[in-house]
Amino acid sequence: MQVETELTLLNNRLVSICREMGVAMMKTAYSPVFNEGFDFVCALFNREGKMIAQAEYNPSMLGAAHFTVDWILDEIGSEAFQPGDVWVHNDPYRGGCHLPEHIKGIFCEDELFGFAASIGHLAEIGGKAVGGLAGDATDVYQEGLQLPPVKLMKGGKHVMDIWKIMMANHRTPKLTWGDLHAMLGSLTIGEKRLKELVLSRGIDQTTAECKELMYRSEHWMRAEIKAIPCGEYFFEDWMENDGITDEARRLQVTVTVREDEIIA
């Protein structure tokens, strides 16, 4: 019973940190996309890039967040992170699903514990359409400025070359500047709160308990899948057009349930 209580307390505290990160973004953002639309997500990851907590904001970004973190760690390695560094990227061919994603290393007693990450839809990213929503785009270059993983902040200071490139390619640089700093503020909150948590419980204990939380989450999810009868489930629907031609477009999926796994 003691173990379950400790894990519940840890999980609630981690989720509360993510929620506080989101509140910081919402209250300091320049754009209504953040402060009214809540079109963002905040999450925490361990040093291997596995998600350990998330807040209840945009669900589609939550689904993609771990791909984004995995890709950055595969490409640049965790050793590239130093205290005060923030990396940004929005490349959809590098795990990104949306517009700029941030990730910041969290250090406790000079040892890397994990990462805080926020994903948010900036109000403007350049491209052929205002707001970065070009429904008639025929290639990705028309959608806006693409950034591979690059360092936005180094040791807590702005990497101005990257900021200048972004500001020069956005129609509303003031909104971009404000919203990016709202995201940076959320990462600072996440770093501060997680540091407090880890220092109070110890790195080894917190790491072990986070692994146990992930194990139990997977176990519960697999148990839920097992309750679904095994077999193939098929669905089909049509879109009137693809935004460019008047031809109808078919959407179809087959979902296969095998014991405790689902394949779509």
Side-chain angles (χ1 to χ4, degrees), residues 7-264:
L7 289 175
T8 299
L9 291 173
L10 175 62
N11 180 67
N12 289 344
R13 190 165 176 185
L14 290 170
V15 172
S16 294
I17 292 173
C18 295
R19 290 171 179 164
E20 187 178 357
M21 291 170 63
V23 171
M25 282 183 63
M26 180 265 292
K27 288 187 174 293
T28 58
Y30 284 29
S31 165
V33 177
F34 281 7
N35 56 39
E36 294 183 17
F38 300 162
D39 197 358
F40 58 79
V41 71
C42 302
L44 298 173
F45 298 80
N46 65 13
R47 64 183 300 158
E48 288 81 33
K50 305 300 183 183
M51 185 183 292
I52 58 176
Q54 60 187 25
E56 307 86 343
Y57 294 108
N58 188 312
S60 65
M61 296 181 189
L62 279 175
H66 70 281
F67 293 111
T68 303
V69 176
D70 280 345
W71 196 286
I72 292 181
L73 294 180
D74 285 344
E75 184 162 327
I76 67 174
S78 60
E79 64 278 1
F81 284 85
Q82 300 297 323
D85 289 354
V86 177
W87 293 73
V88 60
H89 96 86
N90 69 340
D91 187 347
Y93 299 102
R94 284 179 165 90
C97 76
H98 222 259
L99 311 181
E101 288 101 11
H102 290 62
I103 180 171
K104 184 175 185 179
I106 296 174
F107 290 78
C108 297
E109 299 174 346
D110 297 325
E111 182 178 348
L112 179 64
F113 173 79
F115 304 93
S118 63
I119 300 177
H121 182 161
L122 294 188
E124 169 57 39
I125 57 161
K128 67 179 294 186
V130 175
L133 296 173
D136 61 343
T138 55
D139 64 48
V140 70
Y141 300 102
Q142 296 173 328
E143 296 185 15
L145 177 66
Q146 297 178 78
L147 291 171
V150 291
K151 196 173 290 189
L152 191 68
M153 304 288 289
K154 182 177 182 179
K157 296 182 179 180
H158 295 73
V159 181
M160 288 309 301
D161 286 346
I162 301 301
W163 286 89
K164 289 177 181 178
I165 291 171
M166 296 179 71
M167 299 303 107
N169 281 275
H170 293 189
R171 295 178 179 86
T172 54
K174 182 178 180 180
L175 287 181
T176 295
W177 179 269
D179 284 355
L180 284 174
H181 280 84
M183 298 177 83
L184 293 172
S186 79
L187 299 180
T188 300
I189 289 290
E191 177 184 29
K192 180 179 179 181
R193 295 289 183 258
L194 192 55
K195 260 186 166 180
E196 294 169 352
L197 170 63
V198 173
L199 292 176
S200 68
R201 302 173 74 93
I203 287 182
D204 292 340
Q205 179 182 342
T206 307
T207 299
E209 290 176 343
C210 285
K211 288 183 178 179
E212 180 64 19
L213 282 174
M214 288 188 286
Y215 167 78
R216 295 192 179 205
S217 296
E218 179 179 349
H219 177 76
W220 291 334
M221 176 59 75
R222 291 189 181 277
E224 291 293 321
I225 295 173
K226 274 189 174 182
I228 304 172
C230 292
E232 290 190 348
Y233 300 83
F234 177 80
F235 180 78
E236 178 181 273
D237 204 352
W238 291 82
M239 290 199 318
E240 291 83 356
N241 59 69
D242 61 3
I244 300 172
T245 70
D246 289 330
E247 297 179 23
R249 297 292 177 175
R250 183 173 62 173
L251 305 174
Q252 62 180 20
V253 63
T254 299
V255 176
T256 304
V257 180
R258 298 176 183 170
E259 297 297 332
D260 61 353
E261 293 184 343
I262 288 181
I263 302 172

